[in-house]
């Protein structure tokens, strides 16, 4: 039985390592998601600042070429913001997938831990029963000698 316990322990160690790997992957995915959210916030703020600056310049008078530059830059920023929004959706999905993979790995590890605890409890009970039987046998033999 000791050989089987050793193999069980190795599988449990492996599952713990798999769970750790999934935890690290989830943390990395969350970090990427948060970075993308921060970039999106920054781009939106920059776009608002650009719009305010353009509106102020229009009130004071602006040349057509400068207005064209503002328009081109504004369209480019709008495209970047849209791309960031799309990448954010992909990153959110990746975070969810990593979370589900971690949950599955944790369940597998927990199932093996429960199985191991049950086996260890069964082994202890079996050992106690053998010891009790041995002590009973000694008691019976001791009575027979008296």
């Amino acid at each position: 039985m000791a050989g089987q316990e050793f193999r069980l322990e190795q599988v449990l160690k492996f599952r713990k390592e798999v769970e750790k790997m999934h935890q690290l992957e989830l943390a990395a995915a969350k970090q990427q998601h948060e970075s993308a959210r921060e970039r999106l916030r920054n781009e939106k703020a920059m776009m608002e600042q650009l719009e305010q600056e353009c509106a102020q310049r229009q009130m004071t008078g602006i040349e057509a070429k400068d207005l064209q530059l503002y328009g081109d830059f504004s369209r480019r920023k709008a495209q970047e913001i849209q791309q960031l929004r799309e990448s954010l959706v992909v990153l959110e999905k990746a975070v969810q997938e990593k979370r589900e993979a971690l949950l599955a790995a944790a369940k597998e590890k927990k199932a093996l831990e429960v199985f191991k605890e049950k086996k260890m409890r069964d082994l202890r009970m079996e050992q106690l029963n053998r010891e009790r039987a041995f002590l009973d046998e000694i008691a019976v033999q001791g009575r027979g000698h008296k």
Side-chain angles (χ1 to χ4, degrees), residues 5-134:
E5 288 178 60
F6 179 72
R7 281 181 278 172
L8 181 69
E9 192 63 34
Q10 291 299 320
V11 172
L12 181 58
K13 285 180 184 179
F14 174 75
R15 288 194 178 169
K16 286 179 181 180
E17 289 301 316
V18 168
E19 183 184 28
K20 284 180 187 177
M21 179 190 69
H22 285 296
Q23 287 173 339
L24 292 173
E25 288 175 356
L26 176 60
K30 283 181 174 180
Q31 180 61 38
Q32 285 179 325
H33 180 262
E34 188 54 39
S35 274
R37 279 181 39 180
E38 185 62 30
R39 281 187 56 212
L40 180 60
R41 279 193 293 269
N42 290 340
E43 291 296 328
K44 283 180 177 181
M46 193 182 304
M47 183 71 158
E48 287 177 19
Q49 182 181 0
L50 176 70
E51 288 171 353
Q52 289 174 358
E53 183 180 315
C54 183
Q56 287 175 352
R57 296 264 325 259
Q58 284 177 345
M59 291 186 155
T60 61
I62 187 171
E63 292 183 18
K65 66 177 180 157
D66 290 337
L67 189 57
Q68 180 67 38
L69 285 175
Y70 275 112
D72 291 345
F73 190 71
S74 178
R75 280 189 292 282
R76 178 68 183 133
K77 280 293 170 196
Q79 288 174 346
E80 287 178 14
I81 288 171
Q82 183 58 35
Q83 288 173 348
L84 282 171
R85 283 184 178 136
E86 291 169 3
S87 70
L88 201 57
V89 169
V90 171
L91 289 171
E92 286 172 358
K93 187 176 180 180
V95 167
Q96 185 60 31
E97 289 171 357
K98 300 294 183 189
R99 187 174 286 123
E100 289 170 4
L102 174 59
L103 183 61
K107 284 181 181 179
E108 288 178 4
K109 181 195 76 164
K110 184 65 177 174
L112 193 56
E113 285 175 338
V114 168
F115 179 72
K116 178 183 175 186
E117 289 173 12
K118 184 178 182 282
K119 284 293 184 187
M120 296 303 287
R121 187 176 53 245
D122 291 347
L123 285 172
R124 283 192 297 272
M125 290 301 294
E126 185 180 317
Q127 181 67 27
L128 285 172
N129 289 337
R130 279 187 288 200
E131 288 175 7
R132 190 174 302 126
F134 179 72

